[in-house]
Amino acid sequence: MKEVYTLADLRDWRTATADCDPPLRLAVIGDPVAHSASPQMHNAALAALGIPARYTRLHIKPDELTEALALLHKAGFIGINCTIPHKPAVLDAVDEADENARRAGGVNTVVVGKNGKLHGFSTDGPGFSRAVQESFGIGLKHLRVLVLGAGGGAGRAIAMQCAAEQCPALTLLNRSLDKLEPLLDDIAKVCPFDRISSGDLSDLFLKIGLANSDLVVNCTALGMKPGDKSPAPARHIEARHLLYDTIYVGHRTPLLAAGDTAGARGANGLSMLLHQGALSFKIWFQREPDIEVMRAAPLSRFDSTAK
Ligand code: NAP
């Protein structure tokens, strides 16, 4: 069994995966995708429930997406997860999409119907909501939230979830202001406009945003690479802040390190990965996976606990 499969494999899936027992019937598709921790998590849940299927990675480039989606039914897929950069394109490609996917502007979970029709869902926002509750013991509806990087895919899904849960105040910041405009229009449809503020990632907006927030969420890519700076400077972080970094790399991210300096509690994105994955699993099988089995999968070498 390979760690990563490609479109060439998908074209003759039964031959490419002839050595796989149970058969590979679920995958995460992305470009890149080799880093994804989803297979460990889902394979542990599948094995625990005795479901005769396995989950793998498919490296699909943007210009290969249409063909790849069309091949899933013939290859015997139950469903897929989508990651960077495919979520918005899959929303356009599926036969129908749920409300969370339409709000998030992207699909992270696809069910391949018996007739080959594709049904799209997004579990990113609901998964984030569960992760916050689990990490800090408080729900979004009680928290004033600051989203850093709200113009990206994860930022949009999280901002829409906060608005849908009617959090008391929502501040949306993004490096490129123009990317916030479509989100602000959509968010106003589910949340009273007087609860929303927006701006860029300049020091002034960060200072005001942090002063008026309880929960700070990093949805920027800052922290993925060694040497990245914190998306919010330590001097504006207070001990009362709750910091959630959607990044789940194996080190304390720059935002969480800045929070440590200020004495603030923080958690990384592993719990969001876990809960969005558990919600995808439930969509595919109409059964709750064992979340502790998923958490104990090899990805638990990352430390997700709130500190
Ligand atoms: P995306 O759509 O490409 O968005 C990237 C975001 O990062 C944009 O807001 C972008 O701002 C910002 N950004 C990139 N480089 C920056 C820099 N140098 N300074 C300031 N802002 C910068 O990506 P995505 O899918 O939303 O992913 C964003 C993060 O969320 C990633 O770190 C990913 O690991 C994490 N994530 C985690 C989970 C989970 O389950 N834990 C799920 C999804 C995503 P501009 O608009 O100005 O370019």
Side-chain angles (χ1 to χ4, degrees):
M1 192 163 76
K2 295 199 234 174
E3 288 289 311
V4 180
Y5 291 85
T6 63
L7 180 64
D9 297 316
L10 194 55
R11 286 185 183 131
D12 188 3
W13 193 239
R14 287 184 217 282
T15 306
T17 62
D19 60 336
C20 301
D21 183 26
L24 299 176
R25 301 190 61 203
L26 293 152
V28 53
I29 68 163
D31 178 26
V33 76
H35 66 284
S36 173
S38 291
Q40 297 96 295
M41 194 170 77
H42 283 291
N43 283 325
L46 289 164
L49 286 173
I51 296 173
R54 280 183 71 77
Y55 184 115
T56 189
R57 301 178 186 85
L58 267 172
H59 185 186
I60 300 295
K61 298 184 188 131
D63 62 355
E64 299 173 337
L65 183 66
T66 305
E67 183 182 352
L69 292 175
L71 287 167
L72 293 175
H73 181 55
K74 186 170 158 242
F77 271 77
I78 295 164
I80 54 167
N81 283 132
C82 314
T83 187
I84 291 176
H86 298 314
K87 291 180 190 183
V90 174
L91 177 63
D92 292 336
V94 292
D95 294 288
E96 57 178 36
D98 82 337
E99 192 180 348
N100 281 324
R102 288 196 302 273
R103 274 190 195 143
V107 159
N108 80 334
T109 306
V110 173
V111 172
V112 182
K114 293 216 172 5
N115 51 6
K117 287 225 176 333
L118 301 179
H119 307 271
F121 304 82
S122 177
T123 63
D124 283 336
F128 167 75
S129 176
R130 287 187 181 199
V132 167
Q133 180 71 48
E134 178 187 278
S135 301
F136 302 117
I138 183 166
L140 290 176
K141 69 171 185 237
H142 303 294
L143 293 166
R144 298 171 300 158
V145 185
L146 168 62
V147 183
L148 306 172
R156 183 187 174 95
I158 284 171
M160 290 304 271
Q161 186 70 27
C162 294
E165 293 194 31
Q166 300 287 311
C167 76
L170 185 54
T171 306
L172 307 175
L173 303 185
N174 202 58
R175 180 180 60 178
S176 324
L177 265 183
D178 57 315
K179 296 219 187 120
L180 279 182
E181 277 160 26
L183 171 62
L184 289 169
D185 287 344
D186 288 347
I187 222 161
K189 294 172 195 153
V190 287
C191 188
F193 205 68
D194 59 4
R195 291 190 195 172
I196 301 169
S197 318
S198 63
D200 59 25
L201 287 175
S202 62
D203 194 65
L204 179 63
F205 281 120
L206 284 167
K207 185 177 175 189
I208 297 169
L210 275 133
N212 294 306
S213 303
D214 309 305
L215 173 68
V216 181
V217 189
N218 179 33
C219 299
T220 75
L222 283 172
M224 298 282 286
K225 296 195 301 287
D228 276 352
K229 63 176 183 131
S230 170
R235 64 183 175 280
H236 298 325
I237 300 175
E238 300 168 43
R240 65 176 183 83
H241 281 124
L242 305 175
L243 308 176
Y244 193 89
D245 201 324
T246 62
I247 294 173
Y248 59 89
V249 289
H251 56 261
R252 201 92 177 126
T253 63
L255 176 68
L256 299 185
D260 289 344
T261 308
R265 295 168 70 202
N268 76 19
L270 187 59
S271 51
M272 178 176 164
L273 179 79
L274 193 65
H275 285 288
Q276 61 79 27
L279 290 164
S280 297
F281 192 102
K282 194 175 173 198
I283 289 170
W284 293 320
F285 297 106
Q286 287 87 53
R287 288 169 82 177
E288 292 279 356
D290 185 333
I291 196 99
E292 295 314 321
V293 164
M294 294 175 91
R295 202 192 307 270
L299 55 89
S300 62
R301 68 182 183 278
F302 303 124
D303 177 10
S304 71
T305 48
K307 289 181 182 160

